[in-house]
Every structure is written in structure tokens, then in C-alpha cells.
Amino acid sequence: MVRSEALQQYFLQAEDAILSSIESLVEQETPSTDVGRLDSFAEYLCTMFAPIADQAEIIQVPTGGNHVRVQLHAKSPKLPPILVLTHFDTVWPVGTLEQMPFRQDEDGKTYGPAIFDMKSSIAMMEHIFRAFKDLNLEPNRHVVLLATADEEVGSTTSMPLLEYEAKRANCVLVPEPPLPGGVIKTARKGSRMMDIHIGGIPAHSGLEIEKGVSAIEEAAHQILTLQAMTNLEAGLTVNTGIIQGGTNSNVVAPYVDMQVDVRAWTREDLASAVTRIQNLSPKLQGTTIQVGSKRGRPPLEESVTLPVFDKAREIASHLGIDLARGRTGGGSDGNLTGALGVPTLDGLGVPGAGAHAIHEHIETDQLIPRTWLISELILNLAVDN
């Protein structure tokens, strides 16, 4: 426990420095669609990690923001590494800081866009690496930290990188926001975004409405079918979230475009729902339905999370920290690594609330315990010997 106590004291003394790092990260706005800002932030991260890691490099992306890979080497390179997943793209547009500045209040909360999801986690990793260097602590296996630029929009360009590193790893730590109370996420729903195009037959609604077939009327039938697929007991949800169509009020609608969100706890339920949607048939003669499948993530299932959670809970207990587990309908890059069968522990970020909301914040007094916990997991967690 001597090493553990030294780490705890180190982080307690570094609290102001960690908060300063968080402020620096939060005040660099990095929306997922702004390649220039994402690339500048990636360069900033490399500069930040270079003095405290064995390697910090930019992963060039021709079609989006660049990613960052940071490595900390161990004396036993034959052991599979621990992989830590973070992302720095956000849902917040440039200018958000004017309405949501970084600030701390008297209730023990620290606010700012993307502070909870998940720039505070990047700052924690910076100071964990600093602690290892300053205290001369060396993990018994390599540590690979990925900071990606497209998690919020489906991880399209980062997916090959994530999967490559995960297949080499012993286990994956994901410091995404936890559930309320700091609860670890041991299950996440899988998701699939579906595009549905409905074609109708246009006609003048005043002169010859009988010659038209309304795509909007067809869409009404299909939306009821889609919504009826939701089974809350099984955890399957189907939501028609966007609908656009028609050309004018005096024209029988020639088309409708819909976007549908599908989520489920298991691969089987998700695949079954997607198949049903792909096989939708028109209710009105003369209409057509075309279905396309967009981005999505497979479920993160407890078969790959519980073994590593049990070991993490044991480590946490020695620190006086009680870890609890829960499930969530949202997805993360942990879904991708878990789908490969790699033990994955998600929700390790600083407790707080308001992800993607104007009250986004972390609980300031939980910053040091969470940083300490992740450092101990990196040093001690492994799912095999």
C-alpha cells in the first residue's frame, strides 16, 4: 500500500494542476465537424504528453480530424498492453464557451462544455502519466492511450485504429462519464441508425387528388409500425426521430425521408429489429420504401465486462472505494472493443452530470479519487496472468 498512498498524496497535491489542465482543454472548442480545430487540439495533446510518455504521435486522417496515440512502455513488453480510450471531439458548436464558461461554484461543481464528456478524463490521464514519471512507477505492461476525434459522430475514421489496438490489448479502460453516483457501465445498448425513403405519386390536390398516392400517408402507417416495435421489457427501442417530406400543401406528397434510431441490449435483438425494418412493405398501392443502414455500434454485453469489473472492484476496495455497476442505453467506443471479445470497463470518468446539456459539470471532490482509481487499475488490473 506504500505505492498506493504515494499516488494518493501525489494527486491530492496536484488537484489545482489537474483542474488547470481541465480548464485548458475545455477552453479549446473542438466540435466534431471542425477539422482545423480538431487537428490543432491533437497537436496540443502531443505536445502535452511528449515529456511524460515514451511516444506521442499524430494519426493522420485524410477525411476528418486527426487522432492521437500515446504510449507508455513497460519492462515486460511481451505482456499484452492496457488500452485506454478517450475522445476530444464534442457536440458543442464554436462559441458555446460564451454561454457556458469554465467555472467552479460553491456547491462543489466544475462546469464547462465537454468537461464531463470527456475532457476531464484526458486531463486525468495526463496527470497519471506525470505521477508515474515523477514517482518512478512503471506499469508491468505497456499502456496505450488513444484520443480520437470522431467518437461523437460514430467513430468512422477511428474504428480501424480502435480495433487494431484492442485486439492487441489485455483489457480496455474507458473513462467515459459514469452513471449517477459514479456507477461503472458494464452494459451499453447497441445502436443502428436507419434511413427510410418513401416514394409516392404526386398530383394536384385540388384538381385530381384521386390520381396521387401520398408518401406522407404511407409514412404515417410505417411510423406506427416502427413505434410498435419498441419493447421496453426487453430493452428494444425504435424511435422515428426525424421526418421530412412533401413539396407543397396543394401537392399530394411525392416523398418522405425518415431517420430511425434502433437500440437493444443484445446483438440478436438489434439484428432482428434491423431486419424487420429493412423488410418493411408498403400499405398503399403505388408507394415504395427504400431502407438504408447508417452508422451504429454493437452492444457492450456483460459477458466481456463482468470479469474485468470484478477485478477492478477488488482493487478499488483496497483503496476504500466501493464500485457499483449499471447499464445505459447510450453507446461509446467501449461497445466496439467489447464486441471483439476484449474485456472492457466503461464509465470510469469523473462523476458529474449534464453530458451534452447546458448544465454539464463534474463533481470536483470526485476528481482525485477517480484519478487515483484509474492509476491503480493501470498498474494492477489484468484479466489474466
Side-chain angles (χ1 to χ4, degrees), residues 197-203 209-219 221-222 252-256 281-290:
H197 176 82
I198 297 175
I201 300 175
I209 192 171
E210 71 281 357
K211 293 184 178 181
V213 182
S214 173
I216 289 178
E217 183 180 350
E218 180 64 50
H221 289 290
Q222 298 301 331
V252 177
Y255 77 93
V256 164
S281 57
K283 304 294 185 182
L284 304 178
Q285 186 174 359
T287 60
T288 60
I289 299 177
Q290 295 176 315

Side-chain angles (χ1 to χ4, degrees), residues 8-190:
Q8 183 187 34
Q9 289 303 311
Y10 182 96
F11 294 130
L12 286 170
Q13 294 171 9
E15 181 173 1
D16 288 344
I18 301 174
L19 284 168
S20 178
S21 291
I22 294 173
E23 182 177 7
S24 297
L25 298 177
V26 167
E27 291 188 341
Q28 297 180 65
E29 295 181 296
T30 51
S32 301
T33 55
D34 194 323
V35 174
R37 288 176 178 270
L38 293 169
D39 288 352
S40 295
F41 193 88
E43 294 285 353
Y44 179 85
L45 290 184
C46 272
T47 301
M48 184 175 77
F49 278 102
I52 53 176
D54 292 295
Q55 187 175 12
E57 59 181 324
I58 298 287
I59 307 299
Q60 297 285 342
V61 178
T63 58
N66 293 330
H67 311 306
V68 176
R69 175 167 51 204
V70 181
Q71 299 186 62
L72 192 63
H73 295 162
K75 292 179 180 178
S76 304
K78 293 182 179 180
L79 292 174
I82 285 180
L83 175 62
V84 183
L85 302 183
T86 65
H87 69 87
F88 55 87
D89 66 313
T90 80
V91 302
W92 298 106
V94 173
T96 300
L97 278 168
E98 296 177 11
Q99 290 77 41
M100 292 175 58
F102 178 90
R103 63 184 178 89
Q104 299 181 60
D105 68 11
E106 297 178 353
D107 295 327
K109 298 175 182 176
T110 304
Y111 293 82
I115 191 171
F116 184 46
D117 184 18
M118 60 182 300
K119 288 185 175 178
S120 59
S121 296
I122 298 174
M124 285 197 296
M125 291 306 305
E126 173 201 352
H127 287 272
I128 288 170
F129 279 28
R130 289 190 185 280
F132 290 167
K133 182 179 179 66
D134 291 346
L135 297 176
N136 197 28
L137 298 176
E138 188 173 87
N140 63 358
R141 58 184 71 233
H142 289 349
V143 181
V144 178
L145 167 67
L146 293 182
T148 60
D150 65 346
E151 192 271 349
E152 295 290 1
V153 290
S155 305
T156 304
T157 67
S158 61
M159 190 178 301
L161 175 64
L162 294 165
E163 293 183 341
Y164 170 79
E165 294 294 349
K167 289 175 182 177
R168 302 169 56 238
N170 173 270
C171 62
V172 180
L173 304 181
V174 189
E176 281 275 352
L179 294 170
V183 173
I184 300 297
K185 298 171 178 176
T186 54
R188 285 182 178 270
K189 285 186 178 181

